[in-house]
Amino acid sequence: MQKVLITGSEGFIGKALARGLNSAGYDVVTIDNSESSKSTYKSDIKDRKILEIFSKEKPDLVIHLAAQIDVMQSFKDPIEDLGINGIGTLNILQAAIASKVSHFIYINSGGAIYDPLSELPIVESAGIRPLSPYGISKFIGESYVRILCEENGIRWSSLGLSNCYGPISENRKGVIYKFVEGLSRKESPVIYGEDMTRDFIYIDDVIDAITKTFDRPSNCRINISSGLETNILQLFLKIRELLGSKIEPIIAKPRFGEIQRNSLSNSLALEIIGWRPITSLDEGLIKALELES
Ligand SMILES: NC(=O)c1ccc[n+]([C@@H]2O[C@H](COP(=O)([O-])OP(=O)(O)OC[C@H]3O[C@@H](n4cnc5c(N)ncnc54)[C@H](O)[C@@H]3O)[C@@H](O)[C@H]2O)c1
């Protein structure tokens, strides 16, 4: 069985991935710097001692998830954002190259990097035009992966995720959590633009996509998405109905730096890694809201 190193293993996607790979019998090594980290190594991905971890563990495969992921925070502190997502990625990448990993999997954001004027659903060959420091730093990370892996003959993949959601007890952020949290406190959630849309993909489908990538390095970016555009106001109304609430949302102006509409084509994922999502939004919401008996 391959030895897999996961960065960002205490986060929403990292925890689910580590759990899935452990139960599938993979030899899993994890790195995260969060306060409550239960990872194998409690380390900052920017720290030069990462090199020692890699030379000791010698993983076959790296899945790089650790990142600053908050778009608004990336405006407040773009230097910190670039430090984690740019320098941190470069540090992990150099350690992976020095320890001769066979495949580097970078987890990118499909929502934040493409030109927002691209035709929907956005294909991987669409133009790149991030609207936020987060989008810039995620694309920079991928660019380092592409160039340095190719220079060193290392196979790589980049997965451009759309909005990933899952059980709210495991992910206390994102729009679905905010709606549920607001409704439970009887507060009106704010929706930034009546026409705002997103592409929602359930966590189990994302873990399945990452796992399917292991033996099919693409040396390119593949979108991992539902391919469907979901209106955020409609999403709110669905959640409100599921929770039996009558609270009205507040519709505010779109926020600077946030794309208004998004959906990502998933045709390339089917072609290259044989993946397609299986969880519909209706099924996923029942699981996310933990309404199953
Ligand atoms: N969740 C989504 O909808 C989504 C969508 C597109 C892309 N992504 C990408 O997926 C990845 C994981 O996202 P997530 O939702 O699990 O995020 P998350 O915030 O839940 O997890 C990120 C983890 O990285 C760790 N981390 C942050 N800075 C670090 C550092 N300097 N050193 C070590 N660890 C550090 C954090 O402690 C956290 O546990 C990110 O790269 C993100 O850009 C996520």
Side-chain angles (χ1 to χ4, degrees):
M1 215 36 146
Q2 288 166 307
K3 186 177 221 180
V4 183
L5 187 145
I6 305 172
T7 71
S9 54
E10 292 294 296
F12 166 48
I13 300 174
K15 257 192 191 156
L17 180 65
R19 200 166 50 229
L21 296 185
N22 272 316
S23 49
Y26 284 91
D27 186 359
V28 180
V29 176
T30 55
I31 298 177
D32 199 292
N33 72 342
S34 73
E35 279 307 307
S36 58
S37 187
K38 294 189 186 71
S39 53
T40 323
Y41 297 96
K42 183 174 172 175
S43 291
D44 192 309
I45 56 166
K46 300 189 295 307
D47 195 321
R48 297 301 283 182
K49 77 169 185 256
I50 289 286
L51 203 62
E52 292 160 28
I53 298 175
F54 274 74
S55 66
K56 180 174 167 224
E57 297 289 350
K58 298 205 180 340
D60 301 300
L61 198 75
V62 173
I63 305 157
H64 179 44
L65 288 153
Q68 190 302 110
I69 73 152
D70 186 328
V71 170
M72 291 303 136
Q73 176 60 26
S74 79
F75 279 100
K76 283 188 199 138
D77 196 343
I79 292 181
E80 182 208 34
D81 178 83
L82 182 59
I84 298 170
N85 298 355
I87 307 282
T89 296
L90 189 50
N91 197 34
I92 292 290
L93 184 59
Q94 287 193 323
I97 291 168
S99 71
K100 299 190 173 19
V101 301
S102 66
H103 184 186
F104 193 100
I105 302 176
Y106 178 72
I107 306 300
N108 205 342
S109 163
I113 62 167
Y114 293 114
D115 186 337
L117 297 178
S118 308
E119 193 184 327
L120 301 183
I122 301 178
V123 292
E124 290 80 351
S125 56
I128 300 293
R129 190 169 165 269
L131 294 189
S132 64
Y134 170 70
I136 296 174
S137 65
K138 289 300 289 185
F139 184 66
I140 286 176
E142 180 190 277
S143 305
Y144 278 125
V145 172
R146 174 175 56 79
I147 292 166
L148 297 186
C149 282
E150 287 182 5
E151 184 205 5
N152 291 281
I154 290 174
R155 296 175 306 169
W156 65 280
S157 304
S158 171
L159 301 181
L161 309 188
S162 63
N163 277 59
C164 178
Y165 71 104
I168 52 166
S169 59
E170 292 170 23
N171 186 28
R172 298 190 176 278
K173 54 186 166 14
V175 65
I176 293 176
Y177 176 73
K178 281 182 191 144
F179 287 165
V180 174
E181 171 76 350
L183 291 175
S184 73
R185 289 169 187 237
K186 306 214 180 319
E187 287 166 8
S188 292
V190 182
I191 294 173
Y192 296 95
E194 211 167 9
D195 299 328
M196 182 182 261
T197 63
R198 288 292 181 269
D199 179 324
F200 289 96
I201 182 81
Y202 193 68
I203 182 74
D204 294 357
D205 285 329
V206 169
I207 303 307
D208 182 41
I210 295 175
T211 314
K212 286 203 162 85
T213 307
F214 286 6
D215 299 322
R216 296 179 184 92
S218 58
N219 285 18
C220 69
R221 180 185 334 109
I222 300 175
N223 292 339
I224 300 299
S225 61
S226 70
L228 303 171
E229 200 182 357
T230 298
N231 178 282
I232 298 297
L233 178 57
Q234 295 305 318
L235 174 77
F236 170 78
L237 296 176
K238 237 180 227 267
I239 293 175
R240 186 176 79 162
E241 191 186 339
L242 285 169
L243 296 180
S245 165
K246 293 209 165 3
I247 290 178
E248 292 296 330
I250 296 167
I251 308 290
K253 278 199 309 203
R255 289 189 289 191
F256 184 83
E258 268 191 337
I259 51 167
Q260 263 306 287
R261 293 181 56 199
N262 188 245
S263 71
L264 305 172
S265 164
N266 56 25
S267 305
L268 196 62
L270 182 61
E271 197 183 305
I272 298 189
I273 58 168
W275 173 90
R276 61 155 63 94
I278 56 170
T279 314
S280 70
L281 185 60
D282 285 341
E283 289 163 340
L285 278 180
I286 301 282
K287 292 184 187 179
L289 272 50
E290 298 167 326
L291 295 173
E292 281 172 318
S293 54

